[in-house]
Every structure is written in C-alpha cells, then in structure tokens.
Amino acid sequence: MTLEERRAKILINKAGGTAGPEGKSYRVVLPPVWAKQLGVMENSRDVILQFDGECITIRRAGTGEYHSFINEAREKKHDLLILHYYDGETLCTKICLDRTSRRLVIENETDDILSTAFGVNQTPNWEDLMIFLESRCIPRQRDGLKYYLAQLGIEKYDPMEIIRKTAGCMAEDSCWIKIVEG
C-alpha cells in the first residue's frame, strides 16, 4: 500500500454549547475517497483517534479490531492473556494483553464509561493497564502488606498475581476481573 499525502487546512470555529467565550473547535475535512475507504458512512461514523505528540492517526472503530488483534498475536505465537472486567454480573470491558509486544486492545461492552475499565480512554497503553491493575489491588504502601501477601501465598507485590488470587475485588464496589487465558 502506498502512503498518499495531501495538504489541508484546519478549520477553526467558535465552540458552541456550554463552551466559554474563548472556546474553539478544530476540524479537518477528509477527502471523500479516504473516508469511504476507511468505511465511514452515515450509519457508521465511529473512528479511533490517536495522538503521539506529533502525529494524529485516524482509524476505523469496531469490534473487528479486538478480534483482529487477537488473531494477529496468535499467528505470531505471542503470549496472550484475556481479562474480562465485570460490574456485578455485567461484563463491561474485554481486555486482550499481548505480553510479548506489551500491547493491548479493549472492547467495551457498555456505553456507561463509569463502568468500563479505562473510562473514556479507548486506546489504553501498557502503562494505563498497570495503573488499572494496581487500582484493583491492595495499595503498595499499605501497612502490613507483607503479611497480606503471605496470606495470599505471594512472595512479592505483583498486581497480576494478586488479581489471580482475589479477582480484583475491592470492598468499595462490585467490580471484579475474570482472567481468561489466551
């Protein structure tokens, strides 16, 4: 596939709604042929935006991304781990970890962002995953941590091992994590 490049101007407008008087919105018009190739249509307009500090990438959103990620990693014989994040009996987020490449992909099963594993973040990275896993464990700084880990049969603080033993259950909520081997 050849990389096609076009020059464009960013459209800057006053933001509407509840934005302040200095609020602005920024838009770029995509060439129709690109939008069509991306699969953007009247009834299918969801895309994923990624920004690395220098470059913005736009790609089609959809459930195929999750399964494609899994299939690609399996073809490469990577070490996969799948986690299902629940709120009570409701599956909220499926998380697939490629531990070989240290990448992950998620598929939210609910529109309630307060019930999803990563909130509004649709493209979490490995660091986001580590923060999430630790949030489902006893804090590293907790007094008596060594005793707690010994009770679980764990020698050192390892969030994934703690979650294997506790399912990431916390007293504050009804959320938990089911580990599904890759």
Side-chain angles (χ1 to χ4, degrees):
M1 173 184 243
T2 353
L3 180 65
E4 189 176 338
E5 186 174 287
R6 295 192 186 182
R7 187 178 199 95
K9 289 198 182 287
I10 294 179
L11 305 171
I12 303 172
N13 300 71
K14 286 185 177 181
T18 59
E22 299 299 315
K24 299 196 182 322
S25 68
Y26 299 82
R27 298 175 186 177
V28 174
V29 176
L30 299 176
V33 68
W34 289 5
K36 186 176 181 181
Q37 286 178 343
L38 193 58
V40 175
M41 295 174 275
E42 290 287 328
N43 61 349
S44 175
R45 297 182 291 164
D46 290 343
V47 294
I48 303 293
L49 301 176
Q50 289 181 310
F51 181 60
D52 65 8
E54 185 176 302
C55 183
I56 298 171
T57 304
I58 303 172
R59 55 190 168 84
R60 181 179 44 238
T63 58
E65 178 184 357
Y66 181 82
H67 297 290
S68 295
F69 180 90
I70 293 173
N71 292 337
E72 180 183 321
R74 284 183 176 150
E75 284 175 14
K76 294 178 180 179
K77 308 256 189 269
H78 284 193
D79 181 17
L80 285 183
L81 185 65
I82 297 172
L83 308 176
H84 288 177
Y85 179 66
Y86 288 84
D87 187 351
E89 295 302 312
T90 305
L91 174 60
C92 297
T93 305
K94 294 190 282 186
I95 308 165
C96 181
L97 319 173
D98 180 340
R99 295 188 286 194
T100 305
S101 67
R102 293 176 55 98
R103 295 180 342 155
L104 65 141
V105 68
I106 65 168
E107 185 172 276
N108 288 323
E109 299 292 320
T110 178
D111 291 331
D112 179 4
I113 60 168
L114 296 177
S115 294
T116 62
F118 299 95
V120 296
N121 185 354
Q122 295 293 306
T123 55
N125 59 31
W126 202 258
E127 184 179 336
D128 297 326
L129 172 69
M130 294 301 114
I131 292 167
F132 167 69
L133 293 177
E134 282 202 34
S135 77
R136 303 305 307 170
C137 296
I138 186 171
R140 286 180 187 265
Q141 307 81 2
R142 177 69 53 88
D143 190 34
L145 179 64
K146 285 185 181 183
Y147 174 78
Y148 177 80
L149 294 176
Q151 292 298 106
L152 291 175
I154 301 172
E155 292 183 24
K156 64 178 179 146
Y157 189 88
D158 179 344
M160 188 58 75
E161 285 306 309
I162 294 170
I163 287 170
R164 282 186 193 282
K165 302 281 186 169
T166 67
C169 292
M170 306 295 284
E172 301 84 29
D173 60 32
S174 60
C175 298
W176 58 284
I177 299 170
K178 178 179 179 182
I179 297 177
V180 182
E181 299 300 326

